[in-house]
Amino acid sequence: MRTRRQQLAETKAAHNHPAYAKMAFVMGCGVQGEGKGSRVVDDERGTPYLALFDQYGNQSFGYSHPRVVAAVREQLDTGVLNSTKIMFEEVQIRLSARLAEATGQRLPYSYLANGGGETIDNALKLARAATGRPGVISARGCFHGKTFATLSASDRPEHRELLGPFMEHFRQVDFGDLDELAAALDDTVAAVLLEPVQAEAGVIVPPPGYLQEVRRLCTEAGALLVLDEMQTAFGRCGTFFAYEQFGVTPDLVCVGKAFGGGVLPLSAVLGTKEVWEVLRVLPSTFGSSLGGNPLSCRVGLESIAIASDEAFLTGVKERARTIDERLSAAAERHCGIVAEHRGLGMMHGLEFTDGATAGFVLGRLLEEGVTSTYSLYHANVLRVQPPMVISEADLDQGLSVLEGILAEADGTGTASAPASAEGLPAAELSPVTRTVLLPYPPADVLALLHSRPRLLDPFAADSGSPAAAGRAPEFAGRLGGDAVVWADRTELLDDGVRASAEADWLWHTLERRATVTAAPGGSRLDARVTWDTDSGSYEDLLGGRIGFLAGSGLDALITALTAELAAQGRKSADT
């Protein structure tokens, strides 16, 4: 019988996002329920998850922040919920003034919208209008959204192949390379578009002095500096805007995500008086049907109030030090699996040596009730970016769980895996294989496997029960601690058994095979699990989780099989 979780996963795969449905299910994500602070309840199991990640900045203030919830209720009670677009909307006007105040009036103008891509588009329109130039320079590895303009700025090969051709006049330079930027800054460039910290590239922090030099080069070339602070603003890096950390002021800055308090869509582009001149010349340059509606704006005011509070920012800096110190120490202890630790403020990443290890760690975190994720364009990087309101006790708990899992991945957690060239345990990907020599005749081992063909199936919910060969339309499977159902076929072979899943929303292919052959002194047992989830670039990440489940499951089953054969041998000897 399908669990509620599987029903939701199958429906999501059928009608929304197949790859993400598969990823969430395999990794062990539960059904989202009520959230408070840094914890959210699994609505199916009733157990809480502790967040070491804030959903790409959206939950920077945690789940259901009481001040945000109160602001929503307060605005609902006023009855002022809808935007007329022609009358003076007080809460929206107050929000624009408050944003200007947050910049020290250096960027006194703003335009409100719903999401990040929409606002980045607005910033690029402003830049072209203000300079009369078409060109945009961005940094390789950047992420600015999913509109055509922002995808053109990111210029990912996989997106270009599927969605191209992209828009003209976009080009890229390496993040941190001033010489390449200087060479690219000619009189056709309207804007240089950068993230102060590249989140989805793997939490890449700029070299010292980089943004200051970018500011100088832009000014000299007559180009605008546009900073995308969707993930870094509202205190994430220790100051309200991350650009304050680097001693620069951009011509345009884009904010969102945390701006809506985690409950409503809200974004904005902020700019100088000079850049805003286009709205005098062509007032209809921008438009957003529901952007800047009264309810969102009331929440935006509260988000600014929370993030500009000195006590809040002090707490962010204190927790940032804790994260930095502990992740730096963990990366040094586990240098065999952690290639690098990077971060700024409460925004950090652990880059693993391979995607399988990242998948193993991510899956184990979820097993232990801790949420995290990977960088969108660097799946080897585990994100550690908890809600900024996380308590010291919760942060200690989450980091302690992570440290324990890193120790597993670097030692006992994958000890059964084949050794790498350095002698360290390597994460397992398809196929997962095990070979054991048994001091029993092949006929005895085969008879046992044929009587219970699931005996060496690490994905069977009950591997020890007798099962008829053939097709099982609702095979009772298991992924870690999670029950799952799929159509599966079992075959009895002359030299062993084979089980194969039918292609569906979860598996493209999955085969478990056990083969028995004669060997000196007894028999040789070969167990093999192969799979393909058809997940493209996520295959290694998912494979790290599946490989761990297959490998640890096989080890336990082979141990149990060996013990049962030994018991049978003793019983025969007694009789």
Side-chain angles (χ1 to χ4, degrees), residues 520-543:
S523 57
R524 167 178 162 150
L525 172 66
D526 290 289
R528 179 184 178 92
V529 180
T530 59
W531 68 88
D532 175 7
T533 65
D534 195 26
S535 299
S537 59
Y538 293 147
E539 194 67 42
D540 280 4
L541 193 67
L542 281 170

Side-chain angles (χ1 to χ4, degrees), residues 287-303:
S288 181
S289 296
L290 290 175
N293 67 76
L295 192 59
S296 293
C297 288
R298 178 62 187 87
V299 170
L301 281 169
E302 203 62 38
S303 295

Side-chain angles (χ1 to χ4, degrees), residues 42-203:
D42 179 337
D43 198 50
E44 186 176 38
R45 305 181 184 108
T47 56
Y49 283 99
L50 172 63
L52 273 188
F53 187 63
D54 67 347
Q55 277 50 64
Y56 305 95
N58 291 298
Q59 304 302 334
S60 285
F61 304 129
Y63 294 92
S64 304
H65 192 292
R67 288 177 59 176
V68 172
V69 172
V72 171
R73 288 191 175 125
E74 177 185 293
Q75 191 64 33
L76 286 172
D77 288 343
T78 69
V80 181
L81 305 177
N82 311 108
S83 176
T84 67
K85 295 296 181 184
I86 56 173
M87 300 177 74
F88 290 107
E89 298 176 22
E90 182 175 359
V91 68
Q92 183 191 90
I93 295 168
R94 285 172 50 212
L95 180 58
S96 296
R98 187 67 184 86
L99 283 169
E101 183 183 331
T103 72
Q105 303 298 333
R106 287 184 287 274
L107 303 174
Y109 290 87
S110 61
Y111 190 83
L112 300 166
N114 297 291
E118 183 183 6
T119 279
I120 298 293
D121 274 13
N122 286 340
L124 298 182
K125 286 188 288 187
L126 282 167
R128 283 185 169 180
T131 63
R133 301 171 174 182
V136 176
I137 296 175
S138 58
R140 295 182 184 97
C142 67
F143 176 79
H144 298 294
K146 295 291 180 67
T147 65
F148 262 105
T150 53
L151 286 173
S152 299
S154 298
D155 196 27
R156 300 289 301 180
E158 64 272 23
H159 292 155
R160 192 185 329 115
E161 180 180 355
L162 184 66
L163 305 171
F166 282 152
M167 297 172 66
E168 296 180 337
H169 307 296
F170 285 83
R171 59 184 124 161
Q172 291 191 318
V173 297
D174 280 347
F175 188 68
D177 190 329
L178 290 167
D179 291 337
E180 189 178 8
L181 176 61
L185 267 169
D186 57 30
D187 60 6
T188 69
V189 176
V192 174
L193 171 63
L194 297 173
E195 302 158 271
V197 178
Q198 286 194 306
E200 304 312 325
V203 193

Side-chain angles (χ1 to χ4, degrees), residues 462-511:
D462 184 0
S463 59
S465 297
R471 184 177 185 271
E474 289 206 342
F475 164 69
R478 186 159 294 278
L479 285 173
D482 298 308
V484 57
V485 173
W486 67 78
D488 204 80
R489 183 174 295 278
T490 309
E491 301 172 75
L492 303 184
L493 308 174
D494 291 341
D495 60 352
V497 295
R498 177 171 57 205
S500 305
E502 294 183 5
D504 63 2
W505 69 277
L506 180 59
W507 303 110
H508 181 59
T509 61
L510 170 67
E511 181 179 283

Side-chain angles (χ1 to χ4, degrees), residues 120 193 352 391 424:
I120 298 293
L193 171 63
F352 293 103
S391 68
L424 295 165

